[in-house]
Amino acid sequence: MNKDKKTLYIISFTILALLLSALFWDVGSSKIVAVCLLIPLTFATCFFIRKRHSLSINKKEVLLLSGVIGVLYVALYQMTGFFLSFYENPYFVTAESLYSVILPTALIIILTEIIRSVLLAQNNLLVSAITYFSCVIAEVLIFSNVAGITSFYRFMDLIGLTLLPAITANIYYHYVSKRYGMMPNILFRLITTLYVYFSPLITSLSDSLTSCIKIILPIILLSFVSALFETKKKTAVKKGKKLGALATVLTLVLVISVAMLISCHFRYGALVIATDSMTGEINKGDMIIYERYDGQPIQEGQVIVFLQYESKIVHRVVKIENIGGETRYYTKGDANEDLDSGYRVASDIFALTDVKLSFIGYPSLWLREILKS
């Protein structure tokens, strides 16, 4: 192995190791940590690794397209607020956030893309893979404050809301950087990431659905850019390609459906049963599919989801009374000896359910117990 290749591997592995370790540093801001790491790493990458250029003739067109798509994405995302509602943006730019959040975020994006561009130009498969994982971690550090993964909820936020979108996004960024350079990625990422700090109102689209959009969008962009700019070979479409396209469509449908179920923004949703209070009919580890309550008639024996101290409780209605024009619902867990304390009224009821998927929620419960221990 020659000296240049050794240097390439040492720098690549160092970037990956340091960024990965930053996920577990229990510090106030993962963005500041990422910037402090990326500045010297970018300098070392540019100084010690020979820069090579192998860009497409369409790089200006892709740069323009990236800017247009970024603006359209922001506009369409914000327009969902007209259907869902808006709320006042708690992240709106201030002097403090400009230096502690916005500038570090922009620097992470720019420095990451510089490193990606230099390392991908080396045409080394192993280095390309290492760079991909490093860039995924850097993106996680941008969108998540879970530095110091110490709880189940932090871990689940990391996986569902940050890691999965980062995985698909960096497949697209790798593709674009390799063929058209770093500027289209920098422009697209700055627009779609920083807009949230400059808008006084933000749509109330749930984090789950936002994550789903971020998972799907890079796949669509990759297909679009590839079809628009890559040289098309006049070959017959093979059956395997058709099956692959079908599998992609089905996967996207599944991802969208799951995101809709867990988002709580639609009529139907899903919950994992975490206790033994309903053992018999509904067991711990089962997942229930619920229908949001909107004044539907409730009968004795109906299993409902009601809110108590900001938690969702799944119990059965065992008695209904109408006192002074107020309908009171008394509930009980099937495995409990006593009734739940007090009673529920219509405003307490979140949803109705009579559909369960046995055992499907156990992986989530196991993971929670592992992290708690």
Side-chain angles (χ1 to χ4, degrees):
M1 183 183 298
N2 60 41
K3 182 179 178 181
D4 288 343
K5 185 167 288 189
K6 286 181 181 179
T7 303
L8 179 62
Y9 286 145
I10 289 172
I11 292 178
S12 301
F13 279 108
T14 300
I15 293 171
L16 177 62
L18 290 177
L19 290 177
L20 184 61
S21 68
L23 287 176
F24 300 91
W25 294 357
D26 195 3
V27 295
S29 174
S30 57
K31 296 180 179 66
I32 299 297
V33 171
V35 170
C36 292
L37 291 174
L38 284 170
I39 289 176
L41 291 173
T42 304
F43 174 79
T45 301
C46 295
F47 185 80
F48 292 106
I49 297 178
R50 183 158 54 105
K51 180 71 173 170
R52 300 180 183 180
H53 299 277
S54 57
L55 304 182
S56 166
I57 59 173
N58 302 118
K59 59 181 180 180
K60 292 183 179 179
E61 289 84 351
V62 175
L63 176 62
L64 177 62
L65 181 65
S66 297
V68 171
I69 292 175
V71 172
L72 286 176
Y73 166 79
V74 172
L76 292 174
Y77 181 81
Q78 286 294 90
M79 285 176 61
T80 61
F82 292 106
F83 302 96
L84 298 175
S85 71
F86 291 98
Y87 65 89
E88 187 175 351
N89 185 5
Y91 308 108
F92 191 65
V93 61
T94 63
E96 181 182 354
S97 67
L98 181 63
Y99 294 104
S100 64
V101 178
I102 299 174
L103 183 58
T105 299
L107 283 174
I108 293 172
I109 291 171
I110 295 170
L111 295 174
T112 301
E113 291 304 330
I114 292 173
I115 290 174
R116 190 200 312 267
S117 177
V118 174
L119 294 182
L120 287 185
Q122 307 308 308
N123 295 317
N124 185 298
L125 185 59
L126 177 58
V127 170
S128 177
I130 296 170
T131 305
Y132 171 78
F133 289 115
S134 299
C135 292
V136 167
I137 295 169
E139 184 131 348
V140 168
L141 292 171
I142 289 178
F143 290 105
S144 177
N145 286 319
V146 295
I149 303 170
T150 57
S151 72
F152 172 79
Y153 298 105
R154 282 188 171 190
F155 185 81
M156 292 308 293
D157 282 346
L158 175 71
I159 297 297
L161 303 182
T162 309
L163 181 58
L164 294 180
I167 288 172
T168 59
N170 278 279
I171 293 174
Y172 172 69
Y173 299 151
H174 247 47
Y175 174 86
V176 170
S177 182
K178 178 71 174 178
R179 290 162 177 78
Y180 310 107
M182 62 183 173
M183 291 308 300
N185 285 342
I186 291 176
L187 180 61
F188 176 79
R189 295 181 67 187
L190 288 177
I191 292 173
T192 57
T193 302
L194 297 183
Y195 82 91
V196 70
Y197 302 110
F198 297 94
S199 175
L201 297 176
I202 293 293
T203 178
S204 60
L205 194 66
S206 71
D207 290 341
S208 299
L209 281 180
T210 301
S211 175
C212 181
I213 292 171
K214 289 181 178 180
I215 292 171
I216 296 171
L217 181 62
I219 299 173
I220 296 174
L221 292 178
L222 179 60
S223 301
F224 180 68
V225 172
S226 175
L228 193 61
F229 294 107
E230 292 296 307
T231 303
K232 298 179 181 178
K233 296 180 180 180
K234 297 180 179 181
T235 55
V237 178
K238 298 181 180 180
K239 184 178 180 180
K241 291 186 177 180
K242 293 183 178 180
L243 293 176
L246 178 61
T248 300
V249 171
L250 292 176
T251 300
L252 293 179
V253 170
L254 178 61
V255 170
I256 293 172
S257 300
V258 171
M260 290 175 66
L261 283 176
I262 65 177
S263 69
C264 299
H265 270 269
F266 295 88
R267 186 172 184 84
Y268 295 93
L271 285 175
V272 174
I273 304 301
T275 70
D276 295 312
S277 65
M278 287 293 290
T279 297
E281 179 69 21
I282 302 174
N283 302 307
K284 181 177 179 179
D286 291 348
M287 176 180 285
I288 62 158
I289 306 298
Y290 63 75
E291 179 184 7
R292 290 286 290 270
Y293 179 66
D294 191 25
Q296 303 96 310
I298 298 176
Q299 307 293 331
E300 290 186 7
Q302 172 74 55
V303 177
I304 66 171
V305 183
F306 61 88
L307 302 175
Q308 187 176 58
Y309 305 118
E310 299 184 356
S311 296
K312 296 182 178 71
I313 310 297
V314 181
H315 279 179
R316 191 180 303 278
V317 175
V318 295
K319 182 181 178 181
I320 302 175
E321 289 184 343
N322 193 299
I323 300 177
E326 179 184 67
T327 302
R328 299 178 177 180
Y329 302 93
Y330 297 86
T331 57
K332 174 181 174 295
D334 289 353
N336 294 343
E337 294 184 0
D338 301 322
L339 294 177
D340 299 332
S341 61
Y343 55 85
R344 321 297 140 215
V345 296
S347 60
D348 299 322
I349 300 174
F350 177 75
L352 312 178
T353 181
D354 56 10
V355 177
K356 73 167 184 176
L357 303 173
S358 297
F359 312 121
I360 198 169
Y362 260 113
S364 174
L365 298 182
W366 289 334
L367 183 57
R368 179 180 302 182
E369 293 302 320
I370 291 171
L371 290 174
K372 280 183 178 181
S373 62

